[in-house]
Amino acid sequence: APSAEPTIKPTSVPSAVPTSKPTSSPSFAPTVEPTQAPTYSTFGPTIAPTFASTMSNSSTTNSSTTNSSAARRLDLGGTVSAHAHYADSADLHSSEQAVMFATPMKLPKSRTLGVSFSELISGRKLDDSSAGCPSTCNGRSCDQWEELFPAGTMTCELAEASYGCDCSGCDCNGREGTAAPVPFPSTAPVPGPTAQPTETLVPTVFSTAMPTTLYNYKYKQCFDLYGAPYTAFPSFEPTRFDTPEPTMTPAPTSGPTALPSPKPTLSFPPTPEPTATKVAGVSISITTTAIEEGESLSVTIVLDAEPKAAVTISISSGAATSYLSFSESAVTFTPSNFDTAVTFIASAPNDDIDRGDYYVDQIVFTISEEDGCDLTGDAVSCDQKVSYSDISLGSTDVTIHDDDTAGVSISTTSVSTTIDNYGDSLTTTSYAVVLTSEPVDDVHISASGLGDWTAPSSSDLVFTASNWDSSKTISLTSTAASSNRPVCPNGGLYCTDLADRTETISHTADSSDSMYNGITIDDVDLSVTVVYDTQLAPTIDEIKFSDALNTLIVTLDSTSDKAGLSGTFDCDSLFTGDTVTDAYLGSGAYCAWVSSKKLTVTFGTGPTILVGDVITIAETLLQSDGEVVSLFSTSQALEVAMPNNPTYPVVVVTSPDTLGLCDSMVLDGSSTSGSGGRDMTYNFTSTDSVSNISTVFAESNSQNSGYGEFAVTVDNRDLVPNTNYPVTLTACNFLGLCSSFSKDVKKSVNPVPLVWITGAHPLYTTYADDISIRGEASLPNLECVDATVSNNMEFIWSEVTGGYTGSLETKAPRVLNIDKNQLLPKTTYKFQVLARMTNEPTLNATAVVTVIVETQAVVAGISGGATSVAGTDSDFTMSAAASVDPDSSTDAWEYEWSCTDTSTDTDCGLTLATTEEITVPAGGLSVGEYEFGLLVRKVDSAGNIRNDTTTASVIMIAGDPPKVSIGTLDEKYNSASGSFGALVGSASSSSDVSYAWSLIDADVAITSILMSTEARASVTAQIELLTAGASYTFRLTATDEQGSEGYSEVSLVVNDNPSSGTLAVSPQVGETMKTAYSFVALSWVDADLPLTYKYSYTVVEGNLDLDSSTPLADEQPSATLADATLPMGSAEKLSYTLDGVTYYNNFTLIGQVKVFDSYRASSTAYDDFQCVKAQLNAKQLRQTSKNLTSLAIASGDPEGSLQAVGATHHMMADSSRRRLGAAEEEKILDEFLVKGRRVLLTTEEIARAELITTLEDTFAISDITEASMETVLSSLAGILSVPSELTSDAETDGMDLANEVLSEMVAEETVLSSTAYSSAAEALSYLLQSDLFDNGDTDGAVANMGDALADMTATVLIDAANGVGYEVESDNIAMHAFRHEAQYLDSLSVETPTADGSKSAEIMFPSTFYDDALSSYGSDESINVQIVNIADQVYTSHDARDISSGIVQAVIYDSSDSEIDVSALSSPVSLTVETNEAFETDKSSWERTGLCETDGAVLTFDCAYGDRTHTCDSAAAGVTSIGSTTYWITYVCPGIIPSCLWWDGTADSWSGDGCSLASYTSTSVTCECSHLTDFSIGKNYSLPEWTTDFTHTPTSAPTGVPSPAPTPKPTPKPTYAEGSPTPKPTPKPTDGVSTAPTPKPTTTAMTAEPTISHAPAAEPTPKPTPEPTTAAPTPKPTTAEPVPAPTPKPTPKPTPEPTPKPTASLEPTTASDDGGGGGGAETADGSGAIIGAVVAVLVVIGGGVGYKMMKGKSKYAVAPEGAAGAGGQAFAGTTVQQVAPE
């Protein structure tokens, strides 16, 4: 060997970075894994990632260079070699990753250790922890190895101990081993770098007979490992020359941190030359030739001798189908790396294809060599190299074991389906199919074997190579083995075609993949089961007419699902055939389920169906309501049967008993009932032999196709004076059932008034009913005599039998009202009315009606509910207290109780008392269901017995559940709009309970019909949402704290409405004020007689509102209203829709009749007609109206007068109707007496004043009924509808009349209908638009307005249930009146209605309202609440200040309509009012700025409401501590803010005591008040505020004093020196500003005295507007270093205690030039006194005082002592109100 020192060139570091940490030995494991995976390459340099870091344990960053400053370097002759860098500990830190050396290190690979020694010493992790150690130790002992490796890094013992290695083949520690062949490692070895030394080293000499499986190394290489020399020798050399160890000078310093100062040099002694001859050969080692799928084998290749040129060995698969894959396809060996072994990995596929048990592939080796001889960088001559061109390598078979198995997996082999009784599928089933291996071609799986009655979702499943492992589902749907539906005849349950069955599904596979084609697949067994209905489909049991003949009752034999129909519905939804058409059932017929077994068919107009006609139910619609149902009712046809107790006609003939000399005989049978909703036959007869009467009757009877006419007139000329005519009317209905009525009519010899009593004769009533006997009359007819008579007529009522001793006084002369409990049962009375002319008493006539008071049956009732729950552990009671005697007899009650065990239908075995209440002891009944029966009886002195029975179910459960009770319900409830029902419940329990209401088997949800949450003991149901004629079961469940439940149930019956009738108005065209119209209501039917009729009309104009019609008369028993006077219709041609038909017409009116049964259920019919304008000018209209009204009033006919008044004001309402030509365009002035003096007024003004007087006179003779008061209030609103045409007297009279009408309605407990409610609000609204509240003394008007509003609340809520309210809105009044239980007013929010742009108002009661205001009332006591928003001010004449809203009145009343005083609430009522004008919420325009340069300087600010001044005072401003008296201020001028006011009647002015401003927006203000009264929103000045902005030397300061004053807009502020403290501004008022003055904020925003900085100026921090809080005043600043503080929040209320130091936000409010604590003074042209007065009243006043327009007197005391303050002028002459203190 040459003696020169070889130089090792630096090369790229190979990627030998470890990929995982060794699990056994920590010595070679980095603690952090690299982010870049290592790469392994044979050819060319690779860059190994390193971690740029120091030796510490810090985190690392990846680097791709070995020249990092963090790595240790050794400079050898000017070159750098990379070295492994170790930490001080035994572990190799990840940031000091070891790197490979610059030259290859050729050591043998070991399967046991699995890693080369070079990897071990470089810190490589082990790829296989089970690998072993090298089979030799290179002839070195363990001591020698320990010397070669750094301390503790590697020994044989360490390899054995740490890695479980077997070093038995090593010659270590005195152990002699035998060298063995080296097996191939299981993983690819990491090749070394490809760089070669600059000088050729002499190779060793090998023999020619070398094993081909050996990995032979050619060179020795010297390495330095931290200064430790090491020579590695190849093993298995036949001839080896020992080379002395090299020496290093100077010797390197040991230790990982030492760096040698001189360059160390390696010196190698010469090596002897080899003597062997080289032979070409390739060593190929293969680890195995049999592998599993997914496994790999290793192929290692190395050349035996150095080639002349590059040799390439290729590896490929030799099989027809290549299975193996190779990590490399070829490798090239060059003379420089021929002896470096290369390992390839051959991998078997890890797929899912089944190729049998095994299959074979070949590894084919192909060798090629380049031409020539490569001597690049080599010291070996060509003759020492060999050629590989003649070598053939061949191939090796590799057997691959297949781990896949072809198969078809079925998820289950047994499935089941069900079918229902109808034959259709009830439940389906499915199973999944999937392949177990990947096919090489598509596989088709087909299912077969199913019968015709089971259908698979798919019979051919296709699996491909991409979806073979995704299961496919086959769903099976079975039906009955028959196409018949239903399967069994006649809808039966069982038949042979409906049976269980079993089917088998077989599967076949078809594929070109031999592994799958025809493969065996499991069968699937299918079980088909019939699920039989638990109940047969219902069938029609019976169809018959109802007793009233207006409905059909369809009864089923079992309960049904109602075909899914609810409410009312078209009958063809359930029935089929001609019998359900309008021709049969009538126009407008409908059906409704009244229970699950009963259906009603209510006839429309003109039904024709008869007994014997057939009704057919449609198929596949109706089912049972059982748990399991499938069968439908089959098509059934059933004949309509007769009713059980058919109604016979009740014949009523209306006619005067006595006719005057000139009168004709008019016999009217229109009120006859019992028609069944269709035409009856009318037959008039007379026993008189006068042929001319009989002739008239015969002619009438022949009309209408023989049905006859219901009314007949016999002319006066056919009648003989002083003759008595007996007449009879016989009426027959469509069933042929007939009744007759006979009476005598006497013809007088003198003209007499005509008088008759309407309704049935005799009149049947009961002790418990009110009755109204209504007489009709007309003035004597003088046409046939030459005489005159006064129009004044009087009426005298009497009872001719003497049995009646009650009052006979009447308000309406023609109507006698007798209250309930006045007429005794089993008694007959005769009431007579005498009508006579006042001035000619001899001209008189009488009419008599017989009144029969029938006995009523007693009604048995069991308290608590029809069904209830009781516990076995406690006593429970049953009470008959709910039993009633409607006749209220004094006869004693008798009781009999029974108990039946419903499970056995046997007696319970209890001994039950014969008392009203019985007790069942604890344990007396076991768990189960029992029925208690009750019989009640009364026996009178004559032995007459009245009795009744009832039952109640009791469900016994274990324990002691709550005992729930529900109050007794009314017999029937009406479903009309606005109908409600109270459900009053309670529960007794040993603990608190929770409640829940529910509906059982109902067609509506409980939550949809309740007015409140269902979680209350008592609730209100909206009956209008329930189906008429149906019955509903309500259940109240109570749950105690232990979870035990009890419940009770009651049934609520909804009344059916009258039906089948019509209305006819005649004539169809008439003239206003002249034509007498007739309204006739025919064919109305109801089971609850008698019927009454209410007639009205609506003028078609604008939006047609048929619910706001004008009544023509009071509700009456007569089906005919004659001689009605009507207004003109609109001249404009308008469209309107009536009964679904759209019409286009002008001058149209729509007549209405509302028909009521005895329970007040109602229906309405309409008829349209025309009423054209009369040729009347204004004066003629006025005179015609006077004539009609005076005649009606004189004859005791208030309805006739009201009709004329209504026609008149309708005519006057529109100028197009009022003025009929150019001559009428100018108003005509006339004299009229006003307050005792004559004045000139327009005709309209006179007419309206006269109409109010007429209306007053009419009201004086009107009965106080719902209908008549509707007419009065409607007429009053019409008269007042043009306020500009009202005289002052008319205004006052109108207000008085409104108040009087409503007051009398309260006294008579007459309900204010929705129409009357609206009319009353309109009338009051028109009065508010008039001058009534603007001129003179308005106290009376204000009081009347308040009384009227209170009475409206009282009357509209007369029959209201809790939770029910009524809203009304007119132009100036929005009102909400509602009733609620006292306990539920807490936290309740109520709004007034808003529409058409009206302002809103809302009140929210506090959560403590009941305790504060209503604690003396029961929690469930009803309280009436009234909230009114009045747009106009009624107090203007008393207090003319500027008000920004209307008046909001909030009042509550008790059940007796007495107002409840609400004051001194602990928590305020919140009131939100929408204002009439906007308030400014952005205060920036109120701000001004000024500069204070010297103390005492006065700044003047031009504020919007007058100049304001500020006196500079640096001490008060808090700026003296910085050594300067110069500072800026931001001044906020006073502005207009809202204030909360209430009317103090005692002071006769607005007050703010007890109210505070909570918040406001630009258009809405929220006040909080401690009382209820009349409220409004006023205006107030805000108090001025100022804040300090200061700096020592501003960069651009303005002049010291604004001259003459700052501009309205804020002056820009100066900048501030950098580093100087930023002053914190005082918060400005926000939307939530209160009316109380804001306390003075601190002078600055600092927490310490400021320091002065002369740094460059900086902009000041903008001042935010924080939310107001209740923060306390800021304490005196300290002298600490300045620290910027958070922006403080303003204090909304003044602090009673003085602040420690003067503050600067508010100036004193005296009128002087200076004062107020030295902070400056404010003046505003004398307005300082105003502000002074404002501040002077800032005292907290407890309680609440108030006054509202109620009953015309003060309700509260004057303001408390100490609240006085002076007022001043502001707002252009109005008075500034005193501020309500916070």
Side-chain angles (χ1 to χ4, degrees), residues 1368-1376 1392-1394 1398-1399 1427-1431:
V1368 67
E1369 182 181 20
S1370 59
D1371 290 341
N1372 294 285
I1373 290 180
M1375 183 174 183
H1376 188 177
T1392 58
T1394 56
S1398 61
K1399 306 298 182 181
I1427 308 296
V1428 188
N1429 193 2
I1430 303 171

Side-chain angles (χ1 to χ4, degrees), residues 272-350:
E273 292 293 330
T275 59
T277 302
K278 302 179 179 63
V279 177
V282 179
S283 296
I284 300 175
S285 296
I286 302 176
T287 55
T288 183
T289 57
I291 57 176
E292 299 284 340
E293 278 193 325
E295 292 186 350
S296 303
L297 57 84
S298 297
V299 180
T300 303
I301 305 175
V302 68
L303 300 187
D304 295 342
E306 183 176 346
K308 293 181 178 294
V311 174
T312 299
I313 298 175
S314 301
I315 299 179
S316 62
S317 171
T321 300
S322 297
Y323 298 114
L324 294 172
S325 61
F326 303 98
S327 59
E328 300 288 345
S329 61
V331 62
T332 299
F333 293 96
T334 64
S336 62
N337 71 352
F338 75 94
D339 56 352
T340 301
V342 177
T343 298
F344 289 86
I345 303 300
S347 301
N350 189 20

